[in-house]
Amino acid sequence: MENQPKTTKLHGWHISQGASMTVFHGWEMPLWYPHGAVAEHREVITHAGLFDTSHMSVLVATGPGARDLLQRCFTRDLDRPECGIGKCLFGAFLSEQGHAVDDAVVCQLDPEAFLITVNAGKGGIVTNHLAGYAQDLRVRISDLTGNVGKLDLQGPLSGQILAKVLEDPEGVLHDMGYYTCKGSFLPEFGSRKVRFAGGIPVLVSRTGYTGEFGFELFVQAEALQKVWEILLEAGSGMGLRTCGLAARDSLRTGAMLPLSGQDFGPWPFINHPWHSALPFAEGERGFTKRFVGDQVLDERDRADYTYAFVGYDPRKVSIHDPAVVLDGQGQEIGTVLTCGVDMGIARHQNRIYSMASPDKPEDFRPSGLCCGFVKVSGKLASGRQVELKDKRRSITVLITDDIRPSRTAHRSMREMI
């Protein structure tokens, strides 16, 4: 049937393990497993979690004009020192109006080859968007969605688990910095062989969507279930849990990471917490390059502002009511974009601790705090109290520069392995 949701190669496995399934952007995916979303969330913070993310759209841009196309359309400046072969970049593709078509992680595999990971259901949209700006360039854009197996192995023990199943763990992992990648699952880029034990080619990317130390792993679709089972066996004595979309969403919110179409959308992609996604010049005075949609962003004083917030307890409001933001005088100043609960954190004596905080109190209990993002009409200082209100309740929250402390994503490989 035409409206039948798509499934990954692990769909049968998820069903057999009692996963609660949901349809997300046309894909039927696990929402959580019998152990529940709270346990999955906390296990990623303390040990490790394994996510099936094969619903994500994966594109490849190849050819002499591939780099020029991305320099024209992607919000990151590929001339900066942090770019190059084996490097990964988080940014966005914008319309002429400065609105986000989608965010993306771009990995450079070769001088003329770039892997582009965008959100589920966005593969065709982003492919067509790029094609519209590629007419004068020698570049090929291939949408590999559905033909790629993608797994996210996240959490402080993920490096130790991955090291158990790679053919050359020392050679692959010892010098991998945050937002770098090694290997390939594509035959045409097979010269840099990174393989699982048993010879399965893999692209290992030290990226993820949880804020915790970990990896995104790309393999051929037909190898997906074998790799999944290899990883589960390797992590069976290390607290590794399978995780669904619910934990993925709560972890990303506590890690200050946005959801496409919700935390950014049909408004200018500016004045938000994700500064690194834009090629700001020193002092944020203009950009280091020109790109599609940049002229609208230059007028940032006319745009709304997106801020993160954190509450005082787990109570939250519904963004579907919708929920609004009120200032101290009860005046409506904006809308709530995301309101979730990070179940790995709590307040103690007016300070937020995580389960992973080395200095947390002895009697610390991670009761959870509501958190998320709001879009408002003017500037708000960090620490400012605002009210979030839907049809059922109102809650007081704080505008903040950070949510879950002691996140591990940026820690060195030496420290984590």
Side-chain angles (χ1 to χ4, degrees), residues 51-258:
F51 302 77
D52 176 10
T53 54
S54 303
H55 64 305
M56 299 290 284
S57 295
V58 178
L59 317 177
V60 175
T62 55
R67 189 179 188 280
D68 290 339
L69 176 63
L70 289 173
Q71 192 72 335
R72 179 181 298 175
C73 295
F74 194 47
T75 58
R76 296 295 297 273
D77 189 347
L78 274 61
D79 289 335
R80 297 291 293 270
E82 64 267 26
C83 306
I85 297 172
K87 300 295 181 63
C88 309
L89 299 171
F90 171 74
F93 299 108
L94 308 184
S95 68
E96 298 283 354
Q97 294 73 38
H99 301 172
V101 177
D102 201 15
D103 62 343
V105 173
V106 172
C107 303
Q108 185 168 3
L109 306 180
D110 267 343
E112 298 182 358
F114 296 82
L115 185 81
I116 305 166
T117 305
V118 296
N119 284 282
K122 290 295 186 74
I125 293 171
V126 174
T127 297
N128 292 335
H129 175 76
L130 292 175
Y133 294 96
Q135 296 174 358
D136 61 333
L137 299 172
R138 294 170 57 198
V139 58
R140 179 183 179 187
I141 307 155
S142 303
D143 186 353
L144 306 182
T145 306
N147 295 314
V148 178
K150 181 177 176 297
L151 308 174
D152 288 15
L153 179 62
Q154 302 281 296
L157 299 185
S158 58
Q160 296 177 40
I161 294 169
L162 187 58
K164 294 171 68 173
V165 300
L166 291 174
E167 282 189 348
D168 179 20
E170 175 66 18
V172 175
L173 299 177
H174 83 281
D175 61 346
M176 277 197 79
Y178 189 47
Y179 265 70
T180 63
C181 63
K182 287 185 179 181
S184 175
F185 63 98
L186 300 166
E188 56 266 45
F189 306 110
S191 58
R192 296 176 303 283
K193 291 184 174 64
V194 176
R195 299 180 183 275
F196 284 105
I200 301 171
V202 58
L203 172 66
V204 177
S205 176
R206 200 187 144 185
T207 51
Y209 196 46
T210 65
E212 302 304 327
F213 176 80
F215 307 87
E216 293 181 282
L217 307 171
F218 299 80
V219 297
Q220 293 288 344
E222 58 269 19
L224 179 64
Q225 182 157 340
K226 184 174 182 180
V227 170
W228 177 266
E229 292 171 347
I230 288 172
L231 288 167
L232 286 178
E233 183 178 357
S236 61
M238 302 174 70
L240 177 64
R241 282 194 191 273
T242 52
C243 301
L245 293 181
R248 181 175 165 88
D249 190 56
S250 57
L251 286 160
R252 69 92 188 169
T253 303
M256 300 272 295
L257 299 171

Side-chain angles (χ1 to χ4, degrees), residues 322-389:
V324 297
V325 185
L326 307 177
D327 65 11
Q329 289 72 48
Q331 298 297 310
E332 186 174 324
I333 59 173
T335 58
V336 182
L337 302 174
T338 282
C339 188
V341 179
D342 188 321
M343 291 304 302
I345 61 177
R347 290 184 181 273
H348 181 82
Q349 296 183 352
N350 209 33
R351 177 181 166 187
I352 296 175
Y353 293 89
S354 163
M355 299 171 69
S357 297
D359 58 343
K360 64 181 181 292
E362 288 186 11
D363 59 347
F364 175 76
R365 291 180 61 254
S367 56
L369 298 175
C370 81
C371 53
F373 301 100
V374 295
K375 180 164 71 74
V376 296
S377 56
K379 292 183 179 180
L380 297 176
S382 181
R384 167 81 177 270
Q385 281 193 343
V386 295
E387 183 182 354
L388 310 185
K389 182 177 177 61

